[in-house]
Amino acid sequence: MNLNRIDLNLFAVFDAIYTAGSLTKAADVLCITQPAVSNSLARLRDMLNDPLFVRTGHSMTPTPVAQNIIGPARDALSLLRKSVQDSHTFNPETAEKTFHFATRDLFEASLMPRLLANLQTRAPKIAITNFELSRSAVVSAMASGSLDFFADSSTFTDPHLCKHQFAQDRFVVMARKNHPDLRNGIDLETFLRLGQINVSHRRSDPGPIELALDKIGKRRKIVLRGQHFLTIPSIIVKTDLIACIPYHLAKHYDLSFYEMPFDVPPVEHYLYWHVSADHDHAHIWMREQILEVARQFNHH
């Protein structure tokens, strides 16, 4: 038997006939015509090579084959109904689901702790995975279902993705306490003179600090180019290097930070998800949790 050719609607008709005991009553239950029920039964008889029901007076008596398959058929139909119902509802208190994120260390350090704290009370069976993924692989990963959310501080456009700016931050200059060159704060001349740590996931393309300096015809002195903001404090505390990092990360460390001595555009954080998940109830719920945490993030 080729399972790909089975019409699952036939088993719904089969269940109705078995329960009602007649083709006419089954037609009433299914809200279809009696000839349509007869046609479906004929197809199922041919597929299973068994009459399934024999007429006894005014009722239809199931054959042994029908009696053997009614239990599994009803279980399968119940599972299908539940699957359809579950796709239109989401109960975070009981849902068992893992959401897959691809975010930078900034998101993981700043928003993830608050998000997880909320989930532990609101959705105790929800889990999160977060892994590194190149931007070029985001769309295919979302299309395959292996990735739910991508967060980035820069924006890109793809017709298969939805996006939302969920947070905004600003750059500040971080330095160790009692830095000998920063007793009176920091001006542009001092900023350009001091060695700096630059964080970038791009190998050579200019970042927002470089672009802002280009506008005023200046260049800074980069001593270390790294990939992760979270490594900066451990380096700064032992050196006279400085770094430009987002304020909402800088404020968590027992280090000094100063406002930028020149204009730099704000850091905008975007959340991305695949268009196929835009109306999924579980996905909508998780987006709401992220945005709620992000609003707290923006107000501090």
Side-chain angles (χ1 to χ4, degrees), residues 117-131:
N118 288 350
L119 295 184
Q120 286 182 340
T121 57
R122 300 175 183 176
K125 296 182 180 180
I126 296 292
I128 287 178
T129 64
N130 188 37
F131 52 91

Side-chain angles (χ1 to χ4, degrees), residues 188 192 210 213-220:
L188 180 58
L192 298 175
E210 277 64 45
L213 287 172
D214 283 344
K215 289 185 177 181
I216 58 175
K218 303 294 183 180
R219 293 186 63 182
R220 59 175 172 160

Side-chain angles (χ1 to χ4, degrees), residues 55-79:
R55 187 173 296 281
T56 306
H58 295 290
S59 64
M60 304 290 288
T61 301
T63 66
V65 170
Q67 294 173 4
N68 288 336
I69 67 173
I70 186 61
R74 283 174 171 168
D75 289 344
L77 289 170
S78 176
L79 182 61

Side-chain angles (χ1 to χ4, degrees), residues 223-236:
V223 175
L224 172 65
R225 187 181 180 96
Q227 297 186 66
H228 305 289
F229 282 110
L230 295 184
T231 61
I232 289 178
S234 61
I235 298 173
I236 281 183

Side-chain angles (χ1 to χ4, degrees), residues 1 11 14 43-50 52 65 69:
M1 183 185 300
F11 287 94
F14 169 70
R43 291 170 59 197
L44 194 58
R45 282 169 166 169
D46 181 63
M47 185 176 69
L48 298 178
N49 193 29
D50 187 87
L52 298 177
V65 170
I69 67 173

Side-chain angles (χ1 to χ4, degrees), residues 201-214:
H201 296 282
R202 294 178 285 270
R203 191 159 190 171
S204 58
D205 292 342
I209 306 300
E210 277 64 45
L211 293 174
L213 287 172
D214 283 344

